[in-house]
Amino acid sequence: MTRSRWIVLAVIATLIGAFFALDLDRYLTLESFQQSRAAIESYRAAHPWLAAGAFFLTYVAATGLSLPGAAILTLAAGAIFGLLWGVVIVSFASSLGATLAFLTSRFLLHDAIQARYGDRLRAINAGVKRDGALYLFTLRLIPAFPFFMVNLVMGLTPIRTATFYGVSQIGMLPLTIVFVNAGTQLAKLTSLKDILSPGLLGALVLIGVFPLIARKFADFVNARKVYARFSRPKQFDRNLIVIGGGSAGLVTAYIAAAVKAKVTLIEKAEMGGDCLNTGCVPSKAILRSAKLLDHVRRAREFGLRAAAAEFDFSEVMQRVQRVIKTIEPHDSVERYTELGVECLKGHAKIVDPWTVEVNGKKLTAQSIVIAAGGEPFVPPIKGLKEAGFLTSETVWSIREQPKRLIVLGGGPIGSELTQAFARLGSQVTQVEMLPRILPREDEEVARMVMERFKTEGIDVRVGTKAKEVRFVDNEKRLVCEKDGKEEEIPFDQILVAVGRVARLKGYGLEEVGVETGRTVKVNAYLQTNFPNIYACGDVAGPYQFTHTAAHMAWYCAVNALFGRFKKFKVDYSVIPWATFTEPEVARVGLNELEAKEKNIPYELTTYPIDDLDRAIADEEAHGVVKVLTVPGKDKILGVTIAGEHAGDLIAEYILAMRHGLGLNKILGTIHIYPTLAEANKFAAGVWKKAHAPQGLLRIVERLHTWMRG
Ligand SMILES: Cc1cc2nc3c(=O)[nH]c(=O)nc-3n(C[C@H](O)[C@H](O)[C@H](O)COP(=O)(O)OP(=O)(O)OC[C@H]3O[C@@H](n4cnc5c(N)ncnc54)[C@H](O)[C@@H]3O)c2cc1C
């Protein structure tokens, strides 16, 4: 906490402490006021303005410091100043005092709370930004929520101060009138309970919840509005239609069939989508062949005098296709038909919110799930089209090895393919606009990968912007800009891997009016602006992985089929991923970069894998485990692992984060010796050592000395 915060806290604590120490609360009871009422009233008659001013300030101070007794003061206002002036004075004094308390809470705690729990508060913050005034109005009208608590809690949210003041003044008015009016009859009052009859309380609650109900109703009407120009079929042929047979669509259809829904899956190209045909599977298959070649080259490190590998590039690419063919049955029409999914091949087009057209036939369903995936983004670089280029979609069909290959892009896809082609013998130049490759990953780890690339002979050019492709003397050259200077890189083939975009055109989204931005826009239930049309996977983002597509698919299937009874918000709290370069880079939760960006306090624990027995035995003694924890606690905020099988090792941390297990639990778990997984435990050990209770250890040391006699 900053010095100014400590000072404010000390002043407030002193004032509150003095209030109780001087026993001032004894004046804030009904009896006490009744006793001194005649004297106060005669003072007011003699000095009306002074009395009003003093009362106003007392009221502001009491509410501003969250002291008890606001109800008695409000009654007193009625008794001393009458209904009209009593209401005017209390209404402004209570709103001002409440705003002071609100601002104090915001000044002292808002930043710390948001920094620490910002991730989890994101949804609440968004809700408060959108509907904060309504919530506050409801809270103000219902006496069950103590006013001082409302002031303090609202200070922690992002609600605007002016909104807080205005809504408080209006929302507190009804109760102020009730209490001030009761104060005018003070002589007859024996207890505060006499003021609020059950009928009056009920009426206030109704006024309080009315805006919320009205808001829900307005949402409902708005949601229905999008359907206005369509006529809903009376009956549906199916419960669910899924567009796209990639990871997202397959899992959606699988879950729907498992719960006995009638579901149709439409795929225009190959079942399995990107992951099986042009993404995860072929990229991992080519990386494996490339790794074997790298091991052959490193033969001496393993104690072998010499080793050589003879290979033909086209045979490696055929193996890639063989791997795809072997996995294909997992995603096949036959398998899914057997599971109870109707699989159709053809281009699906949404024609209205319940109807999809395929092969000239119109199918209807209660709900539609869009799982149309994404495609490579090709930047508008002059001359690129004319020169011809490869993408992650087309690269798998080449059979001739590019001699000089440029890989445009330093993200995960570009980096994996860079290393694979370099190891297979292409002379690869990787071009990245940003200052480093793998820009979303930990800086130290990204540097490790870059260094490894360089030692393997890859020309990594970061901070380099591709501008144009030119033909010079029948040779293709990429013209780039680095530090304001032009560079030319000659090449035979160029692979564009600068990112992927959602597939949004050509299947009815625009015509029907499904809202899109960079992706199909969805809410937390994965509903589009048409509540019965859902979207998941790459087409909806924000992540572009097979496992996140499958994760989202569960929510789409369940919400689409059972949403009228219960809907689930998609949970992105623990999302892991890996980049399968060497060293492999895996990550879950926060890394340092993100923690700093989001202003989240963290403690960093590092375990270098070059010291791990198994890694040494395997000649893979490189890499690192980096764990971010809540300062002073073993609660894990995020982990990055670089090294052999990092993507497998991180599973333990994913489990721990998902189920709230801390580093102490990982340390207390037996890990098999000698395995790479021991790195996880050793990282937890490094953390434990840093948190050893030094005072206790000194006492134990003395105990040992004493026991030795
Ligand atoms: C080179 C590369 C490597 C990757 N490696 C990994 C990895 O290691 N791990 C990982 O998790 N992720 C990886 N990914 C990402 C992963 O492949 C995607 O996140 C995943 O495939 C997304 O699945 P999806 O179902 O959303 O989309 P897709 O797999 O693209 O499926 C969409 C399907 O919809 C079909 N379709 C589209 N429009 C229509 C229509 N109108 N009618 C009928 N059918 C339609 C398409 O033909 C396609 O088959 C990689 C991607 C690439 C390109």
Side-chain angles (χ1 to χ4, degrees), residues 246-255 275 331 336 369 371 526 535-538 541 543-558 570-572 575:
S247 316
L250 287 172
V251 177
T252 307
Y254 179 102
I255 293 166
C275 185
D331 297 347
Y336 275 77
V369 172
L526 300 181
C536 56
D538 284 9
Y543 300 98
Q544 292 181 325
F545 303 109
T546 290
H547 46 276
T548 46
H551 177 70
M552 294 167 88
W554 183 91
Y555 291 91
C556 267
V558 171
V570 64
D571 177 3
Y572 292 128
I575 301 288

Side-chain angles (χ1 to χ4, degrees), residues 479-527:
V479 183
C480 304
E481 191 184 296
K482 186 179 166 74
D483 301 330
K485 285 190 206 127
E486 235 178 47
E487 289 175 357
E488 282 190 8
I489 312 168
F491 66 90
D492 300 312
Q493 291 266 32
I494 184 164
L495 172 65
V496 178
V498 292
R500 293 173 58 75
V501 286
R503 213 173 262 130
L504 303 172
K505 295 217 181 308
Y507 58 99
L509 301 188
E510 278 163 307
E511 294 86 332
V512 171
V514 175
E515 280 179 8
T516 58
R518 286 160 63 96
T519 57
V520 171
K521 285 189 185 165
V522 287
N523 64 14
Y525 303 103
L526 300 181
Q527 288 170 302

Side-chain angles (χ1 to χ4, degrees), residues 424-446:
L424 288 170
S426 294
Q427 191 187 315
V428 183
T429 308
Q430 188 180 23
V431 176
E432 167 58 57
M433 194 167 72
L434 296 173
R436 62 189 173 94
I437 59 168
L438 302 180
R440 277 165 65 187
E441 302 304 341
D442 178 274
E443 207 171 333
E444 180 192 353
V445 162

Side-chain angles (χ1 to χ4, degrees), residues 343-501:
C343 299
L344 300 179
K345 183 157 179 135
H347 179 89
K349 184 164 187 222
I350 304 175
V351 291
D352 72 38
W354 307 275
T355 312
V356 173
E357 192 178 297
V358 59
N359 305 329
K361 258 179 77 180
K362 286 190 174 151
L363 320 176
T364 60
Q366 280 162 278
S367 300
I368 296 169
V369 172
I370 303 167
E375 54 205 2
F377 170 67
V378 180
I381 294 174
K382 199 173 153 201
L384 182 65
K385 260 197 194 137
E386 293 75 9
F389 58 90
L390 297 167
T391 66
S392 61
E393 273 178 2
T394 54
V395 69
W396 311 110
S397 58
I398 62 168
R399 292 293 174 268
E400 198 178 313
Q401 175 154 22
K403 222 168 151 253
R404 294 170 304 173
L405 175 71
I406 289 181
V407 176
L408 206 56
I413 296 175
S415 297
E416 286 183 6
L417 293 175
T418 289
Q419 196 171 38
F421 275 89
R423 286 179 166 187
L424 288 170
S426 294
Q427 191 187 315
V428 183
T429 308
Q430 188 180 23
V431 176
E432 167 58 57
M433 194 167 72
L434 296 173
R436 62 189 173 94
I437 59 168
L438 302 180
R440 277 165 65 187
E441 302 304 341
D442 178 274
E443 207 171 333
E444 180 192 353
V445 162
R447 288 211 183 284
M448 276 182 193
V449 177
M450 202 156 90
E451 287 313 312
R452 178 72 177 248
F453 277 19
K454 286 182 182 164
T455 56
E456 291 187 11
I458 297 164
D459 182 2
V460 185
R461 302 208 189 176
V462 290
T464 305
K465 191 170 179 210
K467 288 180 66 182
E468 187 185 342
V469 176
R470 274 187 207 148
F471 284 86
V472 182
D473 301 333
N474 244 353
E475 184 181 63
K476 293 184 219 170
R477 292 189 185 173
L478 180 70
V479 183
C480 304
E481 191 184 296
K482 186 179 166 74
D483 301 330
K485 285 190 206 127
E486 235 178 47
E487 289 175 357
E488 282 190 8
I489 312 168
F491 66 90
D492 300 312
Q493 291 266 32
I494 184 164
L495 172 65
V496 178
V498 292
R500 293 173 58 75
V501 286

